C-alpha cells in the first residue's frame, strides 16, 4: 500500500463514519488513537471529515502499555516504555472511534477497551484500522478497515507514516 | 534496571531519564476519575518502615494502589521488632510469605543492602540512615525538570544539615550525573569532610551559595540524629542559614524553592518562603506518587540480573 492508496482508504473511511453515524441522534463523536501510529491516523481521518462537512472532531491519544496482558509474564526483558495518555475530553455518552494501524491478534484492542472503560462510559465504541492482517486470538472485529491483508504468521506488517517515519507505506516483511 | 533500587548509584544516566519519562505518563493516571490501572494486579508490596514517615510511606502506598498491587504496611511500633526481633529475622519471615517488593525505611545506613543480599523480593530503599533516599532525589529531579525543562547547566544550591542528610547524598549523585552545578551550604560543623569529592562546590555563606541559583533546596535540621551541639541555638541557625525572602532575592528571578519535608518553619526556612510564590514544596509531594509508580513499574516487571 503506497501513499496514494493510503489517503484514499482514509478518505473512504471518513465517508463511512459519517454515513454510519448520521441521523437525528446527534451523538457527539470523538477519536481516540492508540499510540503510536493510531494517533496520526486518527488525526488524518478527523481532517478528512473536516474537509467534508466542516466539523471539528476531538482526537485523543491512548497508551495501552499498562493494560497489556503480557506485561508481568516474562521478567527477562526490560519493561516496555510507557507513554502518556492524553484524552482531554469526557468520553461519557460519546461515540468513540478507536483507531489503530494494524489489527492482528486483537490483544491490543482488548487492552484499549479496558483502558477506555476506566475513563468513562461511552455510548458506543467503533474500531477503525488501516490494515487487518487476520490471525485473531480474541473475538474482536473492526468496524472500518482500510485494507484486508491476508498474511502468514511468519510475516510482519509495518505501517510507516510520514508524521513518524517520513513516508507513507505499508510493508510486509518475512521475519 | 537492576533487581533493587538501593541508591542513585545503581542507576545509569539513561535509567534516570527512563524513570523521569515514565513518571510523566504515570502522572496522568492521578488526574483521572478512576485513578487506577491494572498493571501490578496480583503483586504484593510490603512497606517496612522502621522510622516515622508520613509523606514517603503514604506516597508509596498510593503509588502501589494506583498500580493495583496488594499492599501492606508493617508499622514497627506494633510489630515483633519491639520484642527484640532483628531486621534480618523480620525480613526472612516477611520473605517467607512471598512478597514481590519490600520497601524499606531504616535508621541504619546500609540496611537496604543487607536486605537486598538475603531477599529474593525486590528491595526499594525508602531512606536508610544517613546514606541514600533515591526516590526523593528522583522526584526532586522530576520537579526541577518540569519547571526548568532541563537539569544540565542549572545552578542548584542545597542548604542545611548536610551531615545527616540522605536526601543530600542522593540529590548530589543524581544532579551531578545529569550535569547540574551543585552548591552545598551549611555551618562548618554540619559539612561532611570530603564532600567536595562528590563534585560539588562548598560554601558557608548562604548569600554566596544562593547567588544566581536556579533552584534552592532546603534540608531539614535533623534534631533526632544530632547527639551533640552543632550550632549554638536554633535562633542563631535561622539568622545565619535560614531561607528568608531577602536571601531568596539574591537568586535568579525565576528560582524555585524546594524542601523534602517535614519542614521546621522558622529553623531552616521562613514561612513566607515556604508558602511563597516560588515554593514548589507541595508539587514535590504530588510528583512523588508518579515517580514511585514509575520505579515500581520498571522494577517489578524488569529483568533480573
Amino acid at each position: 500500500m503506497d501513499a496514494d492508496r493510503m489517503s484514499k482508504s482514509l478518505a473512504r473511511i471518513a465517508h463511512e463514519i459519517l454515513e454510519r453515524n448520521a441521523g437525528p441522534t446527534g451523538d457527539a463523536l470523538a477519536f481516540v488513537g492508540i499510540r503510536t501510529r493510531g494517533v496520526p491516523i486518527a488525526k488524518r481521518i478527523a481532517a478528512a471529515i473536516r474537509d467534508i462537512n466542516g466539523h471539528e472532531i476531538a482526537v485523543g491519544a491512548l497508551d495501552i502499555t499498562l493494560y497489556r496482558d503480557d506485561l508481568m509474564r516474562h521478567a527477562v526483558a526490560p519493561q516496555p516504555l510507557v507513554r502518556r495518555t492524553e484524552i482531554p475530553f469526557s468520553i461519557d455518552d460519546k461515540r468513540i472511534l478507536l483507531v489503530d494501524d494494524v489489527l492482528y491478534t486483537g490483544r491490543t484492542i482488548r487492552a484499549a477497551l479496558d483502558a477506555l472503560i476506566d475513563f468513562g462510559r461511552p455510548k458506543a465504541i467503533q474500531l477503525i484500522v488501516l490494515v487487518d492482517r487476520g490471525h485473531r486470538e480474541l473475538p474482536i472485529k473492526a468496524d472500518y478497515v482500510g485494507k484486508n491483508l491476508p498474511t502468514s504468521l511468519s510475516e510482519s506488517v509495518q505501517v510507516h507514516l510520514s508524521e513518524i517515519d517520513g513516508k507513507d507505506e505499508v510493508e510486509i516483511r518475512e521475519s | 534496571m537492576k533487581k533493587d533500587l538501593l541508591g542513585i548509584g545503581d542507576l545509569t544516566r539513561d535509567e534516570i531519564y527512563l524513570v523521569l519519562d515514565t513518571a510523566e505518563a504515570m502522572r496522568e493516571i492521578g488526574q483521572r476519575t478512576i485513578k487506577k490501572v491494572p498493571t501490578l494486579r496480583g503483586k504484593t508490596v510490603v512497606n517496612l518502615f522502621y522510622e516515622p514517615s508520613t509523606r514517603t510511606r503514604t506516597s508509596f502506598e498510593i503509588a502501589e494502589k494506583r498500580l493495583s498491587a496488594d499492599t501492606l504496611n508493617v508499622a514497627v511500633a506494633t510489630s515483633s521488632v519491639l520484642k527484640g526481633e532483628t531486621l534480618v529475622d523480620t525480613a526472612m519471615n516477611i520473605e517467607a510469605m512471598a512478597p514481590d517488593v519490600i520497601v524499606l525505611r531504616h535508621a541504619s545506613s546500609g540496611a537496604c543492602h543487607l536486605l537486598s543480599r538475603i531477599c529474593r523480593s525486590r528491595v526499594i530503599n525508602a531512606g536508610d540512615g544517613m546514606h541514600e533516599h533515591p526516590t526523593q532525589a528522583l522526584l526532586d529531579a522530576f520537579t526541577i525538570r518540569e519547571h526548568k525543562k532541563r537539569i544540565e547547566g542549572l545552578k542548584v544550591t542545597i542548604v542545611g544539615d548536610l551531615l545527616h542528610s540522605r536526601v543530600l547524598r542522593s540529590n548530589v549523585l543524581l544532579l551531578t550525573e545529569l550535569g547540574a552545578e551543585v552548591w552545598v551550604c551549611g555551618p562548618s560543623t554540619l559539612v561532611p569532610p570530603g564532600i567536595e569529592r562528590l563534585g560539588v562546590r562548598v560554601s558557608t555563606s548562604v548569600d554566596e551559595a544562593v547567588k544566581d541559583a536556579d533552584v534552592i533546596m532546603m534540608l531539614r535540621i535533623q534534631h533526632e540524629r544530632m547527639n551533640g551541639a552543632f550550632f549554638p541555638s536554633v535562633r542563631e541557625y535561622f539568622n545565619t542559614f535560614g531561607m528568608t525572602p531577602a536571601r531568596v532575592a539574591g537568586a535568579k528571578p525565576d528560582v524555585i524553592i524546594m524542601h523534602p519535608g517535614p519542614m521546621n518553619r522558622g529553623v531552616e526556612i521562613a514561612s513566607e518562603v515556604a508558602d511563597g510564590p516560588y515554593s514548589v514544596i507541595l508539587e514535590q509531594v504530588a510528583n512523588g506518587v508518579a515517580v514511585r509508580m514509575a520505579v515500581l513499574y520498571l522494577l517489578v516487571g524488569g529483568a533480573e540480573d
Side-chain angles (χ1 to χ4, degrees):
Chain A
M1 189 186 242
D2 58 17
D4 184 48
R5 288 283 303 278
M6 197 183 286
S7 87
K8 282 190 176 124
S9 293
L10 296 180
R12 172 176 51 76
I13 289 174
H15 280 285
E16 285 176 19
I17 290 169
L18 290 176
E19 216 166 276
R20 204 162 137 177
N21 296 287
T25 56
D27 293 322
L29 295 174
F31 284 100
V32 173
I34 298 176
R35 283 196 194 275
T36 309
R37 289 178 178 70
V39 180
I41 295 174
K43 286 184 178 158
R44 288 192 198 185
I45 301 173
I49 289 180
R50 190 178 53 224
D51 289 346
I52 297 166
N53 66 6
H55 287 182
E56 198 74 52
I57 300 178
V59 180
L62 180 67
D63 184 89
I64 57 101
T65 311
L66 296 171
Y67 288 82
R68 281 169 61 153
D69 59 7
D70 59 350
L71 259 188
M72 299 294 162
R73 298 187 69 81
H74 28 65
V76 285
Q79 290 284 61
L81 196 62
V82 185
R83 284 150 310 172
R84 202 201 295 245
T85 291
E86 286 163 301
I87 304 183
F89 47 81
S90 163
I91 68 167
D92 283 340
D93 299 319
K94 290 208 175 69
R95 288 176 186 270
I96 297 299
L97 303 158
L98 183 64
V99 185
D100 202 2
D101 54 353
V102 180
L103 179 57
Y104 180 28
T105 60
R107 288 176 191 269
T108 299
I109 304 304
R110 195 283 311 165
L113 292 174
D114 277 0
L116 272 180
I117 299 304
D118 280 353
F119 277 87
R121 187 176 187 280
K123 173 113 182 162
I125 300 175
Q126 298 170 4
L127 177 60
I128 302 166
V129 296
L130 183 62
V131 175
D132 182 349
R133 62 166 293 190
H135 305 290
R136 215 76 75 240
E137 293 169 4
L138 296 173
I140 279 168
K141 179 172 163 292
D143 298 278
Y144 312 89
V145 179
K147 185 171 176 54
N148 282 298
L149 211 56
T151 54
S152 80
L153 285 170
S154 63
E155 289 168 322
S156 84
V157 177
Q158 286 296 324
V159 170
H160 301 287
L161 298 172
S162 56
E163 293 92 329
I164 296 166
D165 314 290
K167 59 175 175 182
D168 283 348
E169 189 185 44
V170 177
E171 188 190 7
I172 306 176
R173 261 186 300 194
E174 198 65 39
S175 54
Chain B
M1 305 252 290
K2 292 187 176 166
K3 168 179 164 279
D4 306 313
L5 179 61
L6 305 177
I8 292 297
D10 288 341
L11 299 174
T12 63
R13 191 191 176 93
D14 285 347
E15 284 169 341
I16 292 169
Y17 279 121
L18 176 64
V19 172
L20 301 184
D21 292 343
T22 305
E24 294 274 352
M26 293 297 182
R27 183 164 56 168
E28 179 268 330
I29 295 165
Q31 293 156 0
R32 299 181 188 174
T33 318
I34 298 178
K35 300 177 181 60
K36 207 176 184 68
V37 292
T39 314
L40 295 189
R41 216 157 37 111
K43 302 286 177 186
T44 308
V45 183
V46 177
N47 300 314
L48 185 55
F49 276 64
Y50 280 82
E51 277 193 322
S53 164
T54 316
R55 251 163 311 277
T56 306
R57 197 186 55 74
T58 315
S59 179
F60 265 109
E61 195 175 348
I62 292 179
E64 291 150 10
K65 285 182 163 33
R66 288 200 177 151
L67 291 171
S68 299
D70 295 316
T71 67
L72 58 127
N73 297 303
V74 179
V76 166
T78 57
S79 73
S80 291
V81 172
L82 294 187
K83 300 178 187 164
E85 192 172 51
T86 65
L87 171 63
V88 170
D89 283 334
T90 304
M92 299 290 269
N93 279 274
I94 290 174
E95 176 88 347
M97 295 180 257
D100 297 280
V101 182
I102 298 176
V103 177
L104 178 68
R105 149 93 37 121
H106 200 281
S108 299
S109 308
C112 297
H113 291 75
L114 176 66
L115 222 61
S116 162
R117 282 197 297 276
I118 59 174
C119 288
R120 287 201 61 231
S121 321
R122 287 159 192 282
V123 177
I124 298 177
N125 183 353
D128 62 331
M130 298 183 262
H131 177 234
E132 276 227 46
H133 191 351
T135 56
Q136 178 70 42
L138 288 163
L139 75 88
D140 288 341
F142 183 87
T143 309
I144 294 172
R145 191 174 72 157
E146 179 169 82
H147 281 270
K148 305 292 176 191
K149 308 297 168 213
R150 69 194 163 102
I151 286 170
E152 201 170 347
L154 295 179
K155 178 174 176 180
V156 181
T157 302
I158 309 179
V159 185
D161 180 353
L162 309 173
L163 184 62
H164 300 100
S165 180
R166 53 197 175 208
V167 174
L168 170 80
R169 177 187 287 268
S170 291
N171 261 304
V172 165
L173 291 173
L174 191 156
L175 292 168
T176 52
E177 174 72 28
L178 298 191
E181 178 195 344
V182 182
W183 283 67
V184 299
C185 174
S188 51
T189 48
L190 289 174
V191 176
I195 190 170
E196 59 286 342
R197 285 206 301 274
L198 292 175
V200 300
R201 306 278 298 270
V202 185
S203 172
T204 49
S205 154
V206 178
D207 293 321
E208 183 196 19
V210 161
K211 189 173 186 310
D212 295 328
D214 297 283
V215 178
I216 299 174
M217 201 180 275
M218 300 307 298
L219 297 175
R220 186 171 62 91
I221 291 298
Q222 304 196 32
H223 296 292
E224 77 277 16
R225 291 189 219 282
M226 293 185 182
N227 45 11
F230 289 90
F231 46 83
S233 70
V234 162
R235 191 186 185 90
E236 182 167 337
Y237 181 84
F238 182 72
N239 286 336
T240 319
F241 295 98
M243 197 51 60
T244 58
R247 292 202 166 114
V248 173
K252 290 229 178 95
D254 63 345
V255 67
I256 56 171
I257 311 284
M258 308 177 77
H259 194 303
M263 280 187 282
N264 291 321
R265 289 170 183 266
V267 180
E268 69 264 1
I269 188 164
S271 279
E272 300 94 297
V273 174
D275 307 325
Y278 311 128
S279 167
V280 297
I281 295 170
L282 292 176
E283 286 175 43
Q284 289 173 268
V285 179
N287 292 338
V289 175
V291 166
R292 292 182 173 112
M293 287 171 77
V295 167
L296 285 160
Y297 167 74
L298 293 169
L299 273 191
V300 174
E304 207 163 326
D305 40 315

